[in-house]
């Protein structure tokens, strides 16, 4: 690779022990020779070896040829070298984030997939190298044919995925829920198509994409009830992609009546609707109640969604029944003149 140090070695002597000046030349294929450096062998009676070094640059990638020539008091001598190739640099690439088998929340504002590139020829973290990070789509292990082209910064190649809905299907989870399905995915990344470093990619890692139901809501209802009433609770299950999940066989709601941190009653919606009832009785104290709403997924969807929890403060007031007693009228006479109070 161009980032490595190239060594060119030659042996020289003069049979009379005089000084000899040796020159190293190189040329790129199709171009003319350029002088690299020279060296003087002093009193060069015996064979002496000398190493010339040269550091190539990325623009030097290609085929080359070198030669030596030397001069002393008698004249010149030339020794032809060989063809060689200056290649792209070799790189190592490492997975950084997310960690293996990490749970990625679809609702997170951003999730960054990162790999880091180490140029082992140049002993550096390159900036400006082209790379890609591949995520599988539609089914496990089926990778994108054309993921976004990314550029490294100090060796980092980062791809950012976002929660919510956006027009770019390469960066928003909710833009295509079939493509970015909930469940186990795999990913890898590395350099790709760069002019200065070779292609190399990381090992494949898994992650789990998980949605949540925190957008779910409780339907409004009467704010006053009498102890002994049956209270009906209803709500909607809404996921982090703003989808109304209307199948009660797959999703459900739990309602809890809470007062001073204590739960006095709860109910879970059946698989036929998103409503359920709590019957109040003498064990329910009078006063204001908070309602804790918990939205959840059922069956094989349960491990693909986080439960969503909302608290409705002072959602309603539970009062006593109204009792009337000791009814009277004054005066007590049956017949009273209309003019009297």
């Amino acid at each position: 690779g161009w980032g490595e140090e190239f060594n060119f070695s030659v042996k020289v002597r003069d049979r009379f022990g005089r000084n000899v000046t040796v020159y190293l030349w190189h040329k790129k294929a199709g171009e003319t020779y350029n002088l690299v450096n020279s060296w003087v062998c002093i009193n060069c009676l015996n064979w002496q070896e000398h190493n010339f070094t040269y550091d190539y640059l990325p623009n030097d990638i290609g085929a080359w040829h070198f030669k030596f020539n030397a001069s002393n008091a008698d004249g010149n001598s030339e020794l032809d070298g060989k063809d060689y190739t200056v290649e792209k640099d070799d790189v190592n690439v490492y997975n950084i984030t997310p960690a293996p088998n990490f749970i990625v929340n679809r609702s997170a504002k951003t999730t960054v997939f990162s790999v880091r590139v180490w140029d082992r020829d140049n002993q550096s973290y390159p900036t400006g190298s082209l790379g890609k990070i591949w995520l599988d789509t539609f089914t496990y292990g089926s990778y994108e044919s054309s993921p976004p082209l990314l550029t490294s910064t100090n060796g980092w190649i980062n791809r950012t995925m976002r929660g919510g809905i956006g027009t770019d299907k390469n960066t928003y989870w909710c833009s295509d829920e079939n493509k970015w399905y909930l469940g186990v995915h795999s990913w890898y990344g590395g350099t790709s198509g760069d002019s200065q470093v070779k292609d190399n990619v990381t090992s494949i890692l898994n992650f789990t994409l998980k949605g949540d139901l925190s957008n779910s809501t409780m339907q409004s209802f009467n704010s006053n009830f009498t102890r002994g009433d049956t209270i009906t609770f209803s709500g909607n299950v809404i996921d982090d992609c703003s989808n109304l999940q209307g199948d009660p066989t797959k999703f459900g709601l739990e309602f809890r009546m809470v007062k001073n941190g204590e739960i006095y009653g709860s109910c879970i919606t059946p698989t036929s609707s998103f409503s359920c009832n709590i019957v109040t009785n003498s064990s329910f104290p009078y006063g204001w109640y908070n309602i804790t709403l918990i939205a959840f997924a059922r069956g094989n969807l349960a491990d693909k969604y986080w439960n969503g929890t909302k608290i409705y403060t002072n959602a309603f007031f539970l009062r006593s029944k109204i009792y009337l007693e000791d009814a009277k009228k004054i005066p007590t006479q049956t017949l009273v003149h209309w003019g009297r109070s």
Side-chain angles (χ1 to χ4, degrees):
W2 59 265
E4 296 182 80
E5 183 178 76
F6 283 70
N7 293 298
F8 302 86
S9 301
V10 65
K11 291 182 180 180
V12 62
R13 69 180 290 266
D14 181 281
R15 61 180 175 169
F16 301 115
R18 294 169 296 182
N19 294 347
V20 181
T21 303
V22 182
Y23 303 88
L24 169 66
W25 302 80
H26 68 173
K27 70 172 183 176
K28 199 170 186 179
E31 299 180 6
T32 58
Y33 278 106
N34 290 293
L35 178 65
V36 176
N37 209 339
S38 63
W39 165 69
V40 178
C41 178
I42 306 296
N43 301 325
C44 201
L45 178 62
N46 298 313
W47 286 108
Q48 294 189 44
E49 181 173 333
H50 182 72
N51 293 324
F52 293 89
T53 62
Y54 189 82
D55 290 329
Y56 288 93
L57 298 174
N59 290 337
D60 297 323
I61 291 172
W64 289 77
H65 191 85
F66 74 96
K67 70 175 182 178
F68 294 100
N69 61 17
S71 64
N72 64 5
D74 290 338
N76 299 315
S77 177
E78 184 166 292
L79 179 65
D80 191 36
K82 299 178 181 179
D83 293 326
Y84 61 100
T85 301
V86 177
E87 296 183 334
K88 297 179 183 181
D89 276 0
D90 294 299
V91 294
N92 297 335
V93 189
Y94 306 96
N95 300 86
I96 304 296
T97 59
N101 302 311
F102 189 78
I103 294 177
V104 174
N105 293 324
R106 188 175 65 177
S107 60
K109 186 176 181 180
T110 58
T111 300
V112 179
F113 291 80
S114 295
V115 299
R116 200 172 193 194
V117 180
W118 172 251
D119 184 336
R120 65 175 185 263
D121 290 341
N122 198 38
Q123 293 291 291
S124 65
Y125 293 108
T127 293
S129 297
L130 301 180
K132 294 182 178 181
I133 291 178
W134 288 264
L135 308 178
D136 63 3
T137 57
F138 298 106
T139 58
Y140 178 82
S142 176
Y143 296 99
E144 305 162 274
S145 59
S146 182
L149 190 63
L150 307 168
T151 304
S152 69
T153 300
N154 195 26
W156 293 100
I157 297 176
N158 298 324
R159 180 176 179 180
T160 300
M161 297 296 294
R162 294 174 170 83
I165 300 172
T167 57
D168 186 354
K169 293 185 178 182
N170 285 319
T171 58
Y172 286 89
W173 296 122
C174 291
S175 64
D176 190 335
E177 294 179 68
N178 291 320
K179 179 179 180 179
W180 307 117
Y181 62 90
L182 295 180
V184 177
H185 286 259
S186 59
W187 73 283
Y188 66 95
T191 50
S192 177
D194 188 74
S195 62
Q196 299 182 10
V197 300
K198 294 179 182 179
D199 291 351
N200 196 10
V201 296
T202 64
S203 58
I204 294 174
L205 296 182
N206 288 345
F207 70 95
T208 298
L209 185 63
K210 197 164 182 175
D212 77 55
L213 304 174
S214 60
N215 292 336
S216 301
T217 59
M218 180 177 69
Q219 295 178 2
S220 59
F221 60 107
N222 186 5
S223 61
N224 287 287
F225 290 94
T226 301
R227 189 162 71 182
D229 286 349
T230 297
I231 305 175
T232 300
F233 297 89
S234 299
N236 297 308
V237 178
I238 304 172
D239 68 19
D240 53 301
C241 288
S242 299
N243 298 315
L244 177 64
Q245 298 292 354
D247 187 345
T249 65
K250 297 179 179 179
F251 297 90
L253 296 168
E254 180 181 356
F255 298 90
R256 296 175 180 175
M257 290 176 55
V258 181
K259 184 175 177 60
N260 297 326
E262 185 175 347
I263 300 173
Y264 285 93
S266 65
C267 69
I268 297 175
T269 58
T271 57
S272 57
S273 74
F274 289 103
S275 297
C276 63
N277 300 321
I278 297 177
V279 180
T280 61
N281 54 40
S282 59
S283 67
F284 289 71
Y286 301 127
W288 287 101
Y289 281 81
N290 299 336
I291 297 298
T292 299
L293 169 67
I294 301 172
F296 59 91
R298 303 180 192 268
N300 60 3
L301 294 179
D303 61 349
K304 295 182 178 180
Y305 290 90
W306 296 109
N307 290 352
T309 301
K310 280 188 176 178
I311 296 176
Y312 294 83
T313 303
N314 293 337
F316 67 88
F317 190 88
L318 188 67
R319 64 191 180 191
S320 66
K321 292 182 178 180
I322 298 174
Y323 296 95
L324 300 178
E325 61 181 21
D326 195 21
K328 298 177 182 178
K329 76 175 181 67
I330 300 173
T332 58
Q333 293 92 332
T334 302
L335 297 175
V336 180
H337 295 295
W338 64 266
R340 293 186 61 182
S341 173

